[in-house]
Amino acid sequence: MMKMSYVAIFFFFFLGLTSIVSSQTDSCSSNFDLGLLVSFNTSTLLCSQVWTSEDFILRYTRSEPNVWDFVLSAPNPNSYVAIGFSPDGEMVGSSAIVGWISRDGTPAIKQYYLGGKRESLVRPDEGNLPLINSTAEIVSQSSRLYLGFQLNTVQPSSRIIYSIGPSNLVPLSNNLLFQHRDKQSTTFDFVNGQSSVGGGEYTTLRRGHGTLAMLGWGILLPIGASIARYFKQWDPVWFYSHSSVQGLGFVLGLIAIILGFSLEDKISASVNTHKVIGISILALGCLQVMAILIRPDTASKMRKYWNWYHYTVGRVLIALAIANVFYGISLGEVESGSWNAGYGAVLAIWFLVSIILETRMWMKK
């Protein structure tokens, strides 16, 4: 009798544990229907796992010629979860549906316009999504959040972004969002339900622009300047080396700027500050090239003024180039950590070598 009791207790404990675990999960193979919890039919939605690491599941269908139904399912982080539709796959410039459960249990779901990376530029109750407002609802079930909404559009954007807020930190009464804990940018195919991660069709163009700008403006120009400063004892080798390195850097930087304009046109990116700095760098580079053509003879009284001009403009150019490379990396977002680390390591080596050469030069003086 005692053995049977233990068996029964174990059985019911195992059954309860299984029920708890299964209640906290969701999958495309499970029966899904939010019933009366949302205002549209959810039993016939198509399903796709769109963010595996965070267990985000997107269900969708075209219920009418101009109406698309969506339900985003995600584990409840005791914060917000969000789905955004972007013109270019980037966060800035996109509009998003964001939902959370307040600490008092009140559900909240809003559209946001992501106008920038600062919290103040992520504005609630704004955005470009043709949202049918009466259908936007958030449901909490079995430790998961379900964001349901409808869009009045013939075709939603295929560039879909997702984000999840910092754990145990819900938006305050002003509805401003804290910076996300993690995010994902995808390209979604509504025909077959396939979701691909990454920068999409313009990844090569974006990387080409960044790589050439970094190499031309951000690496070769500082190296060329160091050649001119520390190796003048090897005349005229230093001059031809300096001119060749700077010339190559200018050409690569010019190509990078051309690619940048092309990229901006294709993805309609809002990168005005980055663009203005880039144009300023190009203008200073052109001034340096023209200065070479009117360089006075070494015996001329004007030579010291020309040297002052050439050194000053060159240093300003290099400072702007380095700053804009780091700023451009932050705008690119994807793999920004590795790009920052790689470029930072190159600059650290250049800076260390410059200190050694500068010390040697002053000791000789």
Side-chain angles (χ1 to χ4, degrees):
M1 191 70 174
M2 185 69 72
K3 290 183 177 180
M4 287 297 294
S5 299
Y6 283 136
V7 171
I9 291 172
F10 176 78
F11 174 76
F12 285 114
F13 173 77
F14 178 78
L15 184 63
L17 182 62
T18 303
S19 175
I20 292 173
V21 173
S22 62
S23 70
Q24 294 179 353
T25 61
D26 186 15
S27 69
C28 288
S29 61
S30 62
N31 294 326
F32 178 81
D33 188 3
L34 291 180
L36 299 177
L37 296 176
V38 297
S39 58
F40 55 90
N41 181 22
T42 62
S43 62
T44 59
L45 299 179
L46 303 174
C47 183
S48 177
Q49 182 91 34
V50 291
W51 192 3
T52 304
S53 62
E54 294 292 345
D55 196 17
F56 272 42
I57 295 174
L58 182 64
R59 291 180 171 89
Y60 67 98
T61 192
R62 186 177 189 174
S63 57
E64 298 179 26
N66 293 331
V67 176
W68 285 79
D69 305 341
F70 293 93
V71 174
L72 176 67
S73 165
N76 186 358
N78 293 320
S79 185
Y80 66 83
V81 294
I83 173 174
F85 295 81
S86 172
D88 57 8
E90 303 294 342
M91 183 194 80
V92 177
S94 62
S95 300
I97 305 297
V98 185
W100 66 91
I101 304 297
S102 301
R103 296 196 183 280
D104 61 0
T106 304
I109 184 168
K110 290 180 175 292
Q111 181 175 180
Y112 284 76
Y113 178 70
L114 312 181
K117 296 184 178 181
R118 295 197 304 273
E119 294 175 3
S120 60
L121 297 179
V122 180
R123 302 189 293 270
D125 299 317
E126 296 185 26
N128 302 320
L129 294 178
L131 180 65
I132 302 176
N133 289 307
S134 60
T135 65
E137 300 176 67
I138 181 170
V139 176
S140 177
Q141 277 191 346
S142 304
S143 300
R144 291 186 71 88
L145 297 180
Y146 296 87
L147 277 67
F149 59 95
Q150 291 180 297
L151 297 181
N152 186 6
T153 180
V154 175
Q155 182 65 53
S157 171
S158 62
R159 308 302 298 276
I160 302 180
I161 59 177
Y162 308 92
S163 68
I164 184 169
S167 299
N168 302 313
L169 197 60
V170 297
L172 303 177
S173 57
N174 58 10
N175 295 318
L176 293 181
L177 301 180
F178 298 101
Q179 185 176 9
H180 50 257
R181 170 169 60 83
D182 201 0
K183 63 182 176 58
Q184 181 82 288
S185 176
T186 68
T187 301
F188 192 78
D189 188 333
F190 288 96
V191 176
N192 57 29
Q194 296 297 313
S195 180
S196 58
V197 179
E201 55 187 320
Y202 300 120
T203 299
T204 301
L205 183 58
R206 183 184 287 108
R207 288 180 177 174
H209 164 70
T211 301
L212 290 177
M214 180 187 297
L215 181 59
W217 298 125
I219 296 178
L220 289 180
L221 290 193
I223 291 175
S226 296
I227 291 174
R229 180 166 180 80
Y230 301 120
F231 298 99
K232 286 186 177 179
Q233 66 271 27
W234 293 325
D235 192 46
V237 174
W238 76 268
F239 175 77
Y240 293 117
S241 299
H242 168 70
S243 302
S244 299
V245 172
Q246 300 299 74
L248 178 59
F250 178 82
V251 171
L252 294 181
L254 177 61
I255 296 173
I257 288 179
I258 294 173
L259 293 180
F261 279 115
S262 176
L263 181 64
E264 181 194 28
D265 180 64
K266 290 180 182 297
I267 67 177
S268 301
S270 178
V271 290
N272 290 333
T273 302
H274 183 61
K275 181 170 68 174
V276 168
I277 297 175
I279 293 174
S280 300
I281 291 169
L282 177 61
L284 293 176
C286 291
L287 288 175
Q288 291 289 72
V289 172
M290 290 187 292
I292 294 295
L293 301 178
I294 59 172
R295 181 169 60 108
D297 187 79
T298 54
S300 172
K301 294 181 179 179
M302 297 297 295
R303 183 57 180 258
K304 65 176 181 179
Y305 300 107
W306 184 90
N307 286 340
W308 177 86
Y309 159 83
H310 188 60
Y311 298 160
T312 302
V313 172
R315 286 164 180 164
V316 172
L317 193 162
I318 289 172
L320 288 176
I322 292 174
N324 210 32
V325 168
F326 279 118
Y327 183 48
I329 291 172
S330 69
L331 292 175
E333 293 187 340
V334 179
E335 299 178 349
S336 60
S338 59
W339 282 69
N340 276 324
Y343 184 54
V346 172
L347 287 183
I349 294 172
W350 169 72
F351 186 69
L352 179 61
V353 172
S354 297
I355 290 177
I356 296 173
L357 294 175
E358 187 76 17
T359 303
R360 290 184 58 189
M361 185 177 72
W362 281 99
M363 288 178 66
K364 288 182 179 179
K365 287 183 178 180

